[in-house]
Amino acid sequence: MSTPTLEPSSADTGASAAPVAGPLAREAIALAAFDHVVAHAPGYRARPGQREMAAHIAHTLSGVTLGDGAVASDAALPARGIAVVQAGTGVGKSAAYASTVIPLALAQQKRVIISTATVALQEQLIAKDLPALAATLPQPFSFALAKGRGRYVCRLKLDQLSGGDAASADLFESDDGGGDTSAAGMAAQAVASAAAAARWQERGVQYTAWANALDGGSWDGDRDRLDDPPDGSLWAPVAAERHTCTARHCPSYNSCSYYQARAKLAQAQVIVVNHDLLLSTLGLHALPAPQDCYLVFDEAHHLGSVAQGQFTASMDLMRGHWLDKLPRAVDEVATAIDHKPTIDVAAFTKELKSAQTELARLAMQRIGSLPAWLDLTGRSAGRSPARAGGGSFNDAGAPVVDRFDGGVLPAEWLEVVGKLHANASSLLKVFEALATQLKANARENPGDAARCAKLYSRLGVLAPRLQSAQETASYWQQAAGDGQPPLAKWLEAGVSHGLVTLTAHACPLQPGSLLRNHLWNQVRAAVVTSASLTTCGSFDHFLHESGLAWDGAVAAREVQSPFDHARQGRLVVVQTTADPKDVDGYTREMLALLMADLREVERGALVLFTSRAQMRQAQGLLERGEHGALRDRVLVQGEASRTVLLRRHAERVAEGKPSVLFGLQSFGEGLDLPGELCEWVFITKLPFASPSDPVGQARADWLKSQGRDPFSELVVPATGARLLQWTGRALRTEADEAVVVCYDARLLRQSYGRRMLKGLPPYRLQRRVDGVLTEA
């Protein structure tokens, strides 16, 4: 888990005011601050919806007293308040919550954490919203951006790898051979080793340049401040990590970029962070304690998926070369500090690798007979899973996913998983004992700290893989309790760079339970907001997914957008001859209609696809035949970075040329294209989640086993939420005019489509059949 660090703002730090007692006084302070900001901040203007949101937040949080000693008079627990607000596009939600919560916190000498899901919103808060607020409020405050530890360079590792030190680089090099001991395989590994040595020598030049930049003061060690951001393979070996860090015992501690940035944490009264970082650091004391600060979750509709991702475990079954390095690394460290492990490390590692190999064999035996695997590889089920005889597979598409129904593993598998878990657990204890001894040595003998830190890092690069193996095996051993849902457990196999990849995964099924147990039971005062918390006209789905469904502290309110959707926009539903369930027939017909519609675009447009294959088919039409003339006006996600694509799009529109963006789900959310930049939004199909999603499948099976309907309870609300986001790309300001075109007539024809419509803004609704528009 990453530990956050802070990028300080330029706002001045002011002294906190004396605590203010009484809910009415607190509510008055919060609303007075909001009114002051609206009246005095440049560019601000009164918006009824924004005032409504601010008043709801002020009232909900005014009765909360923070701090460990704060206890409600009529209960054993402190008073709590959680303001849940859906704020439609144009409400100005960041100003509404910041201008009320921050003064409320300052009045009580407390701090604020604002958590978001996207970098774009973090940048907006740090560069625009918070500086404007700090300049306007009578009481100044400081703010900072929290970043993961891995965004900063580790000076110790940078110095080790500068100049291309092959010995130090060996531990960081990824596996290439998968343990193939055939003659051809050994030859291939020799070639790979030579290439790796050359690669590390080249990287050493870059690492030396970075070290010089640090010494010269032209770089502060923050990856994001490099002129040319490095790719992951170059950055990862020198990134700061918890597993390779001895903290204050490191000889580079006083000049450490990470700890220098983190030291400024105490000066920040408002901290901007992302959901992943906030959830991953709970209990690690990296941020203010949730019960002693005000929390704001913006873009809160992501909380459930982020929580599920935090508690997903995975283990690589194919590449075990790192295990060959483990006994040597442990022996070198143990010998260096005169520590004798309590187990035979080499024997336990051999057992662990044997279990991993056996699990890989069972997995390939299971997956190898699946039609999807045979289609992917074009090989027979009996083929060896990795470079058999020196041969290789061709990269051939999406990975194959195979799920264990009900989370139940075959008995033969459980025995192997148990062996893997036991050996990984024993080895982790050795690692922990060595780490404890190294830290103690560094503390007791500061002159030996540099050597201890280097020894610690040798274990640190192996520890995460060992932990992943242990954690995944632990999940795989778990059986569902009475009345409790099982864990989702699955295998994923694919082909990458001519080699088979194979991973084991496990994940709890209910994100709401995870958030309730790990987050909300610590939170006393929070704002939870987004433009898309309701789906199908109700908060129910979001409250269940976020763990707030049965929380008595929740006060939910929907604040309407100031936009006149019926006047500014239209939602046109196109009737196709082919049913969307006929994938090939529907796609052909839909794409033909789309191509015709794209010819009508005069300025900016956005086309949202539900799959990469669908988008590629559209690209194919543009590359040939009668539609070739459209190719020059289309920018496709993946052809360049998002930033570059959006810049090119804006330049084209500014020049008076038509420009069309092709994108997937990530373009359907958070993309802000006001005015002429987006006058059309084309939705190729209702954005149902992939039916191959193993966690979604496991949740559906669980609900069915309980006599419930997963389509109605999970699929429709989740799709409705995504559709709300997608249609939200159309109108971004009160002056915009735009048309949303949906080619999936199920939106009007099916009852579940009508449910989704209830959750969309009140656009003027039309039906198009054979090119003829009628009111729907």
Side-chain angles (χ1 to χ4, degrees), residues 744-773:
D744 196 334
R746 291 177 295 183
L747 191 59
L748 287 176
R749 193 174 64 239
Q750 299 288 351
S751 59
Y752 61 78
R754 289 284 184 179
R755 275 183 65 194
M756 294 180 200
L757 272 176
K758 288 181 181 178
L760 300 184
Y763 294 104
R764 179 183 175 191
L765 185 60
Q766 295 180 317
R767 187 195 308 265
R768 194 175 89 193
V769 182
D770 296 330
V772 179
L773 281 173

PDB file of all heavy atoms in Angstrom, residues 744-773:
ATOM      1  N   ASP A 744     -29.404   2.388 -29.597  1.00  0.00           N
ATOM      2  CA  ASP A 744     -29.966   1.197 -28.942  1.00  0.00           C
ATOM      3  C   ASP A 744     -31.405   1.482 -28.537  1.00  0.00           C
ATOM      4  O   ASP A 744     -31.673   2.136 -27.523  1.00  0.00           O
ATOM      5  CB  ASP A 744     -29.121   0.845 -27.716  1.00  0.00           C
ATOM      6  CG  ASP A 744     -29.387  -0.563 -27.203  1.00  0.00           C
ATOM      7  OD1 ASP A 744     -30.512  -1.058 -27.438  1.00  0.00           O
ATOM      8  OD2 ASP A 744     -28.478  -1.146 -26.587  1.00  0.00           O
ATOM      9  N   ALA A 745     -32.360   0.979 -29.338  1.00  0.00           N
ATOM     10  CA  ALA A 745     -33.783   1.278 -29.116  1.00  0.00           C
ATOM     11  C   ALA A 745     -34.350   0.605 -27.881  1.00  0.00           C
ATOM     12  O   ALA A 745     -35.495   0.886 -27.497  1.00  0.00           O
ATOM     13  CB  ALA A 745     -34.603   0.873 -30.349  1.00  0.00           C
ATOM     14  N   ARG A 746     -33.572  -0.276 -27.234  1.00  0.00           N
ATOM     15  CA  ARG A 746     -34.054  -0.881 -25.987  1.00  0.00           C
ATOM     16  C   ARG A 746     -34.309   0.181 -24.929  1.00  0.00           C
ATOM     17  O   ARG A 746     -35.051  -0.056 -23.972  1.00  0.00           O
ATOM     18  CB  ARG A 746     -33.048  -1.916 -25.482  1.00  0.00           C
ATOM     19  CG  ARG A 746     -32.945  -3.159 -26.358  1.00  0.00           C
ATOM     20  CD  ARG A 746     -31.880  -4.118 -25.867  1.00  0.00           C
ATOM     21  NE  ARG A 746     -30.539  -3.542 -25.965  1.00  0.00           N
ATOM     22  CZ  ARG A 746     -29.416  -4.196 -25.645  1.00  0.00           C
ATOM     23  NH1 ARG A 746     -29.493  -5.448 -25.194  1.00  0.00           N
ATOM     24  NH2 ARG A 746     -28.243  -3.617 -25.765  1.00  0.00           N
ATOM     25  N   LEU A 747     -33.691   1.326 -25.099  1.00  0.00           N
ATOM     26  CA  LEU A 747     -33.892   2.432 -24.162  1.00  0.00           C
ATOM     27  C   LEU A 747     -35.356   2.855 -24.114  1.00  0.00           C
ATOM     28  O   LEU A 747     -35.859   3.297 -23.070  1.00  0.00           O
ATOM     29  CB  LEU A 747     -33.008   3.616 -24.558  1.00  0.00           C
ATOM     30  CG  LEU A 747     -32.882   4.774 -23.564  1.00  0.00           C
ATOM     31  CD1 LEU A 747     -32.331   4.297 -22.228  1.00  0.00           C
ATOM     32  CD2 LEU A 747     -32.007   5.877 -24.136  1.00  0.00           C
ATOM     33  N   LEU A 748     -36.059   2.729 -25.232  1.00  0.00           N
ATOM     34  CA  LEU A 748     -37.491   3.050 -25.280  1.00  0.00           C
ATOM     35  C   LEU A 748     -38.367   1.803 -25.270  1.00  0.00           C
ATOM     36  O   LEU A 748     -39.471   1.813 -24.728  1.00  0.00           O
ATOM     37  CB  LEU A 748     -37.810   3.852 -26.549  1.00  0.00           C
ATOM     38  CG  LEU A 748     -37.346   5.311 -26.596  1.00  0.00           C
ATOM     39  CD1 LEU A 748     -37.672   5.914 -27.957  1.00  0.00           C
ATOM     40  CD2 LEU A 748     -38.010   6.129 -25.495  1.00  0.00           C
ATOM     41  N   ARG A 749     -37.846   0.728 -25.854  1.00  0.00           N
ATOM     42  CA  ARG A 749     -38.685  -0.441 -26.106  1.00  0.00           C
ATOM     43  C   ARG A 749     -38.835  -1.343 -24.885  1.00  0.00           C
ATOM     44  O   ARG A 749     -39.882  -1.962 -24.676  1.00  0.00           O
ATOM     45  CB  ARG A 749     -38.074  -1.234 -27.270  1.00  0.00           C
ATOM     46  CG  ARG A 749     -38.993  -2.292 -27.852  1.00  0.00           C
ATOM     47  CD  ARG A 749     -38.392  -2.941 -29.090  1.00  0.00           C
ATOM     48  NE  ARG A 749     -37.173  -3.681 -28.811  1.00  0.00           N
ATOM     49  CZ  ARG A 749     -35.997  -3.430 -29.359  1.00  0.00           C
ATOM     50  NH1 ARG A 749     -35.878  -2.432 -30.218  1.00  0.00           N
ATOM     51  NH2 ARG A 749     -34.939  -4.154 -29.057  1.00  0.00           N
ATOM     52  N   GLN A 750     -37.794  -1.441 -24.067  1.00  0.00           N
ATOM     53  CA  GLN A 750     -37.819  -2.365 -22.941  1.00  0.00           C
ATOM     54  C   GLN A 750     -38.150  -1.632 -21.637  1.00  0.00           C
ATOM     55  O   GLN A 750     -37.825  -0.454 -21.467  1.00  0.00           O
ATOM     56  CB  GLN A 750     -36.448  -3.047 -22.794  1.00  0.00           C
ATOM     57  CG  GLN A 750     -36.031  -3.864 -23.999  1.00  0.00           C
ATOM     58  CD  GLN A 750     -36.835  -5.139 -24.138  1.00  0.00           C
ATOM     59  OE1 GLN A 750     -37.603  -5.513 -23.248  1.00  0.00           O
ATOM     60  NE2 GLN A 750     -36.682  -5.820 -25.260  1.00  0.00           N
ATOM     61  N   SER A 751     -38.763  -2.355 -20.708  1.00  0.00           N
ATOM     62  CA  SER A 751     -39.121  -1.738 -19.425  1.00  0.00           C
ATOM     63  C   SER A 751     -37.881  -1.298 -18.668  1.00  0.00           C
ATOM     64  O   SER A 751     -37.872  -0.247 -18.002  1.00  0.00           O
ATOM     65  CB  SER A 751     -39.935  -2.725 -18.574  1.00  0.00           C
ATOM     66  OG  SER A 751     -39.205  -3.910 -18.330  1.00  0.00           O
ATOM     67  N   TYR A 752     -36.784  -2.070 -18.769  1.00  0.00           N
ATOM     68  CA  TYR A 752     -35.568  -1.667 -18.064  1.00  0.00           C
ATOM     69  C   TYR A 752     -34.966  -0.419 -18.704  1.00  0.00           C
ATOM     70  O   TYR A 752     -34.325   0.388 -18.024  1.00  0.00           O
ATOM     71  CB  TYR A 752     -34.551  -2.807 -18.000  1.00  0.00           C
ATOM     72  CG  TYR A 752     -34.052  -3.336 -19.326  1.00  0.00           C
ATOM     73  CD1 TYR A 752     -33.092  -2.644 -20.067  1.00  0.00           C
ATOM     74  CD2 TYR A 752     -34.506  -4.558 -19.827  1.00  0.00           C
ATOM     75  CE1 TYR A 752     -32.616  -3.135 -21.268  1.00  0.00           C
ATOM     76  CE2 TYR A 752     -34.034  -5.057 -21.026  1.00  0.00           C
ATOM     77  CZ  TYR A 752     -33.089  -4.346 -21.745  1.00  0.00           C
ATOM     78  OH  TYR A 752     -32.622  -4.838 -22.937  1.00  0.00           O
ATOM     79  N   GLY A 753     -35.166  -0.258 -20.024  1.00  0.00           N
ATOM     80  CA  GLY A 753     -34.704   0.958 -20.680  1.00  0.00           C
ATOM     81  C   GLY A 753     -35.453   2.175 -20.161  1.00  0.00           C
ATOM     82  O   GLY A 753     -34.856   3.244 -19.925  1.00  0.00           O
ATOM     83  N   ARG A 754     -36.751   2.016 -19.986  1.00  0.00           N
ATOM     84  CA  ARG A 754     -37.556   3.111 -19.433  1.00  0.00           C
ATOM     85  C   ARG A 754     -37.125   3.436 -18.002  1.00  0.00           C
ATOM     86  O   ARG A 754     -37.168   4.593 -17.584  1.00  0.00           O
ATOM     87  CB  ARG A 754     -39.038   2.725 -19.465  1.00  0.00           C
ATOM     88  CG  ARG A 754     -39.631   2.687 -20.872  1.00  0.00           C
ATOM     89  CD  ARG A 754     -39.869   4.088 -21.368  1.00  0.00           C
ATOM     90  NE  ARG A 754     -40.516   4.119 -22.677  1.00  0.00           N
ATOM     91  CZ  ARG A 754     -40.849   5.231 -23.316  1.00  0.00           C
ATOM     92  NH1 ARG A 754     -40.588   6.410 -22.772  1.00  0.00           N
ATOM     93  NH2 ARG A 754     -41.410   5.185 -24.500  1.00  0.00           N
ATOM     94  N   ARG A 755     -36.704   2.406 -17.244  1.00  0.00           N
ATOM     95  CA  ARG A 755     -36.175   2.658 -15.902  1.00  0.00           C
ATOM     96  C   ARG A 755     -34.939   3.534 -15.976  1.00  0.00           C
ATOM     97  O   ARG A 755     -34.766   4.469 -15.190  1.00  0.00           O
ATOM     98  CB  ARG A 755     -35.813   1.336 -15.209  1.00  0.00           C
ATOM     99  CG  ARG A 755     -36.944   0.625 -14.495  1.00  0.00           C
ATOM    100  CD  ARG A 755     -36.417  -0.625 -13.804  1.00  0.00           C
ATOM    101  NE  ARG A 755     -35.465  -0.314 -12.741  1.00  0.00           N
ATOM    102  CZ  ARG A 755     -34.664  -1.217 -12.170  1.00  0.00           C
ATOM    103  NH1 ARG A 755     -34.673  -2.482 -12.600  1.00  0.00           N
ATOM    104  NH2 ARG A 755     -33.831  -0.870 -11.207  1.00  0.00           N
ATOM    105  N   MET A 756     -34.051   3.231 -16.915  1.00  0.00           N
ATOM    106  CA  MET A 756     -32.837   4.025 -17.076  1.00  0.00           C
ATOM    107  C   MET A 756     -33.167   5.457 -17.473  1.00  0.00           C
ATOM    108  O   MET A 756     -32.532   6.411 -16.997  1.00  0.00           O
ATOM    109  CB  MET A 756     -31.925   3.395 -18.134  1.00  0.00           C
ATOM    110  CG  MET A 756     -31.345   2.044 -17.762  1.00  0.00           C
ATOM    111  SD  MET A 756     -30.286   1.418 -19.100  1.00  0.00           S
ATOM    112  CE  MET A 756     -30.245  -0.330 -18.691  1.00  0.00           C
ATOM    113  N   LEU A 757     -34.174   5.618 -18.328  1.00  0.00           N
ATOM    114  CA  LEU A 757     -34.574   6.962 -18.768  1.00  0.00           C
ATOM    115  C   LEU A 757     -34.983   7.839 -17.593  1.00  0.00           C
ATOM    116  O   LEU A 757     -34.752   9.049 -17.594  1.00  0.00           O
ATOM    117  CB  LEU A 757     -35.727   6.874 -19.766  1.00  0.00           C
ATOM    118  CG  LEU A 757     -35.369   6.709 -21.249  1.00  0.00           C
ATOM    119  CD1 LEU A 757     -36.639   6.545 -22.069  1.00  0.00           C
ATOM    120  CD2 LEU A 757     -34.553   7.894 -21.754  1.00  0.00           C
ATOM    121  N   LYS A 758     -35.594   7.224 -16.571  1.00  0.00           N
ATOM    122  CA  LYS A 758     -36.045   7.997 -15.404  1.00  0.00           C
ATOM    123  C   LYS A 758     -34.878   8.678 -14.695  1.00  0.00           C
ATOM    124  O   LYS A 758     -35.062   9.701 -14.029  1.00  0.00           O
ATOM    125  CB  LYS A 758     -36.765   7.076 -14.404  1.00  0.00           C
ATOM    126  CG  LYS A 758     -38.134   6.603 -14.866  1.00  0.00           C
ATOM    127  CD  LYS A 758     -38.756   5.724 -13.795  1.00  0.00           C
ATOM    128  CE  LYS A 758     -40.130   5.201 -14.233  1.00  0.00           C
ATOM    129  NZ  LYS A 758     -40.713   4.292 -13.203  1.00  0.00           N
ATOM    130  N   GLY A 759     -33.692   8.114 -14.826  1.00  0.00           N
ATOM    131  CA  GLY A 759     -32.532   8.686 -14.150  1.00  0.00           C
ATOM    132  C   GLY A 759     -31.761   9.684 -14.988  1.00  0.00           C
ATOM    133  O   GLY A 759     -30.769  10.240 -14.510  1.00  0.00           O
ATOM    134  N   LEU A 760     -32.184   9.922 -16.241  1.00  0.00           N
ATOM    135  CA  LEU A 760     -31.471  10.853 -17.113  1.00  0.00           C
ATOM    136  C   LEU A 760     -32.060  12.254 -17.010  1.00  0.00           C
ATOM    137  O   LEU A 760     -33.224  12.419 -16.636  1.00  0.00           O
ATOM    138  CB  LEU A 760     -31.544  10.369 -18.572  1.00  0.00           C
ATOM    139  CG  LEU A 760     -30.943   8.996 -18.877  1.00  0.00           C
ATOM    140  CD1 LEU A 760     -31.019   8.716 -20.374  1.00  0.00           C
ATOM    141  CD2 LEU A 760     -29.508   8.898 -18.384  1.00  0.00           C
ATOM    142  N   PRO A 761     -31.284  13.271 -17.357  1.00  0.00           N
ATOM    143  CA  PRO A 761     -31.827  14.635 -17.373  1.00  0.00           C
ATOM    144  C   PRO A 761     -33.012  14.725 -18.337  1.00  0.00           C
ATOM    145  O   PRO A 761     -33.117  13.928 -19.281  1.00  0.00           O
ATOM    146  CB  PRO A 761     -30.643  15.468 -17.877  1.00  0.00           C
ATOM    147  CG  PRO A 761     -29.433  14.664 -17.562  1.00  0.00           C
ATOM    148  CD  PRO A 761     -29.844  13.239 -17.711  1.00  0.00           C
ATOM    149  N   PRO A 762     -33.892  15.696 -18.134  1.00  0.00           N
ATOM    150  CA  PRO A 762     -35.119  15.779 -18.938  1.00  0.00           C
ATOM    151  C   PRO A 762     -34.896  16.384 -20.328  1.00  0.00           C
ATOM    152  O   PRO A 762     -35.428  17.440 -20.667  1.00  0.00           O
ATOM    153  CB  PRO A 762     -36.026  16.671 -18.086  1.00  0.00           C
ATOM    154  CG  PRO A 762     -35.081  17.561 -17.337  1.00  0.00           C
ATOM    155  CD  PRO A 762     -33.882  16.713 -17.040  1.00  0.00           C
ATOM    156  N   TYR A 763     -34.077  15.708 -21.143  1.00  0.00           N
ATOM    157  CA  TYR A 763     -33.905  16.148 -22.520  1.00  0.00           C
ATOM    158  C   TYR A 763     -35.232  16.021 -23.285  1.00  0.00           C
ATOM    159  O   TYR A 763     -36.100  15.214 -22.925  1.00  0.00           O
ATOM    160  CB  TYR A 763     -32.875  15.272 -23.246  1.00  0.00           C
ATOM    161  CG  TYR A 763     -31.461  15.375 -22.745  1.00  0.00           C
ATOM    162  CD1 TYR A 763     -30.898  14.370 -21.946  1.00  0.00           C
ATOM    163  CD2 TYR A 763     -30.667  16.456 -23.090  1.00  0.00           C
ATOM    164  CE1 TYR A 763     -29.590  14.450 -21.511  1.00  0.00           C
ATOM    165  CE2 TYR A 763     -29.350  16.550 -22.656  1.00  0.00           C
ATOM    166  CZ  TYR A 763     -28.824  15.546 -21.857  1.00  0.00           C
ATOM    167  OH  TYR A 763     -27.537  15.630 -21.425  1.00  0.00           O
ATOM    168  N   ARG A 764     -35.347  16.775 -24.348  1.00  0.00           N
ATOM    169  CA  ARG A 764     -36.447  16.552 -25.285  1.00  0.00           C
ATOM    170  C   ARG A 764     -36.204  15.192 -25.931  1.00  0.00           C
ATOM    171  O   ARG A 764     -35.142  14.940 -26.508  1.00  0.00           O
ATOM    172  CB  ARG A 764     -36.453  17.654 -26.350  1.00  0.00           C
ATOM    173  CG  ARG A 764     -37.548  17.502 -27.406  1.00  0.00           C
ATOM    174  CD  ARG A 764     -37.405  18.600 -28.448  1.00  0.00           C
ATOM    175  NE  ARG A 764     -38.348  18.430 -29.523  1.00  0.00           N
ATOM    176  CZ  ARG A 764     -38.311  19.122 -30.668  1.00  0.00           C
ATOM    177  NH1 ARG A 764     -37.352  20.047 -30.844  1.00  0.00           N
ATOM    178  NH2 ARG A 764     -39.195  18.913 -31.613  1.00  0.00           N
ATOM    179  N   LEU A 765     -37.159  14.291 -25.820  1.00  0.00           N
ATOM    180  CA  LEU A 765     -36.974  12.904 -26.227  1.00  0.00           C
ATOM    181  C   LEU A 765     -37.615  12.652 -27.590  1.00  0.00           C
ATOM    182  O   LEU A 765     -38.801  12.931 -27.787  1.00  0.00           O
ATOM    183  CB  LEU A 765     -37.574  11.965 -25.172  1.00  0.00           C
ATOM    184  CG  LEU A 765     -37.363  10.460 -25.366  1.00  0.00           C
ATOM    185  CD1 LEU A 765     -35.877  10.103 -25.384  1.00  0.00           C
ATOM    186  CD2 LEU A 765     -38.082   9.678 -24.257  1.00  0.00           C
ATOM    187  N   GLN A 766     -36.838  12.122 -28.515  1.00  0.00           N
ATOM    188  CA  GLN A 766     -37.338  11.837 -29.862  1.00  0.00           C
ATOM    189  C   GLN A 766     -36.957  10.428 -30.280  1.00  0.00           C
ATOM    190  O   GLN A 766     -35.967   9.863 -29.819  1.00  0.00           O
ATOM    191  CB  GLN A 766     -36.767  12.847 -30.868  1.00  0.00           C
ATOM    192  CG  GLN A 766     -37.220  14.286 -30.633  1.00  0.00           C
ATOM    193  CD  GLN A 766     -36.635  15.242 -31.661  1.00  0.00           C
ATOM    194  OE1 GLN A 766     -35.452  15.158 -31.994  1.00  0.00           O
ATOM    195  NE2 GLN A 766     -37.450  16.154 -32.161  1.00  0.00           N
ATOM    196  N   ARG A 767     -37.765   9.877 -31.189  1.00  0.00           N
ATOM    197  CA  ARG A 767     -37.498   8.572 -31.788  1.00  0.00           C
ATOM    198  C   ARG A 767     -37.192   8.777 -33.272  1.00  0.00           C
ATOM    199  O   ARG A 767     -37.832   9.597 -33.937  1.00  0.00           O
ATOM    200  CB  ARG A 767     -38.717   7.662 -31.623  1.00  0.00           C
ATOM    201  CG  ARG A 767     -38.489   6.220 -32.069  1.00  0.00           C
ATOM    202  CD  ARG A 767     -39.830   5.489 -32.219  1.00  0.00           C
ATOM    203  NE  ARG A 767     -40.656   5.613 -31.041  1.00  0.00           N
ATOM    204  CZ  ARG A 767     -40.710   4.718 -30.054  1.00  0.00           C
ATOM    205  NH1 ARG A 767     -39.971   3.630 -30.128  1.00  0.00           N
ATOM    206  NH2 ARG A 767     -41.500   4.903 -29.019  1.00  0.00           N
ATOM    207  N   ARG A 768     -36.215   8.029 -33.786  1.00  0.00           N
ATOM    208  CA  ARG A 768     -35.897   8.123 -35.208  1.00  0.00           C
ATOM    209  C   ARG A 768     -36.032   6.757 -35.855  1.00  0.00           C
ATOM    210  O   ARG A 768     -35.371   5.796 -35.443  1.00  0.00           O
ATOM    211  CB  ARG A 768     -34.471   8.646 -35.412  1.00  0.00           C
ATOM    212  CG  ARG A 768     -34.196   9.083 -36.849  1.00  0.00           C
ATOM    213  CD  ARG A 768     -32.813   9.710 -36.969  1.00  0.00           C
ATOM    214  NE  ARG A 768     -31.780   8.720 -37.249  1.00  0.00           N
ATOM    215  CZ  ARG A 768     -30.467   8.946 -37.163  1.00  0.00           C
ATOM    216  NH1 ARG A 768     -30.032  10.139 -36.769  1.00  0.00           N
ATOM    217  NH2 ARG A 768     -29.596   8.004 -37.437  1.00  0.00           N
ATOM    218  N   VAL A 769     -36.921   6.665 -36.835  1.00  0.00           N
ATOM    219  CA  VAL A 769     -37.156   5.413 -37.558  1.00  0.00           C
ATOM    220  C   VAL A 769     -37.010   5.706 -39.053  1.00  0.00           C
ATOM    221  O   VAL A 769     -37.705   6.583 -39.586  1.00  0.00           O
ATOM    222  CB  VAL A 769     -38.557   4.843 -37.272  1.00  0.00           C
ATOM    223  CG1 VAL A 769     -38.748   3.517 -38.004  1.00  0.00           C
ATOM    224  CG2 VAL A 769     -38.770   4.661 -35.772  1.00  0.00           C
ATOM    225  N   ASP A 770     -36.073   4.999 -39.701  1.00  0.00           N
ATOM    226  CA  ASP A 770     -35.821   5.207 -41.139  1.00  0.00           C
ATOM    227  C   ASP A 770     -35.573   6.676 -41.466  1.00  0.00           C
ATOM    228  O   ASP A 770     -36.049   7.197 -42.489  1.00  0.00           O
ATOM    229  CB  ASP A 770     -36.990   4.670 -41.972  1.00  0.00           C
ATOM    230  CG  ASP A 770     -37.158   3.164 -41.835  1.00  0.00           C
ATOM    231  OD1 ASP A 770     -36.143   2.478 -41.621  1.00  0.00           O
ATOM    232  OD2 ASP A 770     -38.301   2.687 -41.923  1.00  0.00           O
ATOM    233  N   GLY A 771     -34.858   7.338 -40.588  1.00  0.00           N
ATOM    234  CA  GLY A 771     -34.505   8.725 -40.830  1.00  0.00           C
ATOM    235  C   GLY A 771     -35.558   9.742 -40.465  1.00  0.00           C
ATOM    236  O   GLY A 771     -35.321  10.955 -40.559  1.00  0.00           O
ATOM    237  N   VAL A 772     -36.744   9.295 -40.021  1.00  0.00           N
ATOM    238  CA  VAL A 772     -37.852  10.197 -39.682  1.00  0.00           C
ATOM    239  C   VAL A 772     -37.902  10.390 -38.166  1.00  0.00           C
ATOM    240  O   VAL A 772     -37.950   9.419 -37.409  1.00  0.00           O
ATOM    241  CB  VAL A 772     -39.191   9.656 -40.193  1.00  0.00           C
ATOM    242  CG1 VAL A 772     -40.325  10.601 -39.803  1.00  0.00           C
ATOM    243  CG2 VAL A 772     -39.143   9.472 -41.701  1.00  0.00           C
ATOM    244  N   LEU A 773     -37.902  11.652 -37.725  1.00  0.00           N
ATOM    245  CA  LEU A 773     -37.954  11.980 -36.294  1.00  0.00           C
ATOM    246  C   LEU A 773     -39.390  12.197 -35.840  1.00  0.00           C
ATOM    247  O   LEU A 773     -40.167  12.894 -36.500  1.00  0.00           O
ATOM    248  CB  LEU A 773     -37.161  13.254 -36.011  1.00  0.00           C
ATOM    249  CG  LEU A 773     -35.635  13.141 -35.917  1.00  0.00           C
ATOM    250  CD1 LEU A 773     -35.025  14.533 -35.799  1.00  0.00           C
ATOM    251  CD2 LEU A 773     -35.233  12.289 -34.728  1.00  0.00           C
TER     252      LEU A 773
END
